[in-house]
Amino acid sequence: MKKTYKIEVDCANCAAKMEEATKKTAGVKDATVNFMALKMIVEFEEGQDPKAVMPVVLKNCRKVEDDCEIFF
């Protein structure tokens, strides 16, 4: 299952680091962060609940940029 989220990120470099952090999150199969569009596309592993995975994704992204926001 793929879902698109609005994201607030300050720079393209941070967006790339957040993309990598998201890809390493348990329950995430793949992820793309588009800095220009301020969007994050997350593909979840089979059987994963996005509502349970996304708070962990946000926590991991805040390790990169502590004031980032993901609207889910």
Side-chain angles (χ1 to χ4, degrees), residues 18-37:
M18 290 168 68
E19 181 177 303
E20 286 303 311
T22 301
K23 287 180 180 180
K24 293 177 183 175
T25 303
V28 174
K29 185 175 182 182
D30 195 21
T32 305
V33 176
N34 185 322
F35 172 68
M36 295 303 288

Side-chain angles (χ1 to χ4, degrees), residues 3 15 20 27 39 51 57 66-67 69 72:
K3 287 192 153 259
E20 286 303 311
K39 289 187 179 178
K51 290 180 181 172
V57 169
D66 61 359
D67 65 344
E69 280 296 332
F72 49 90

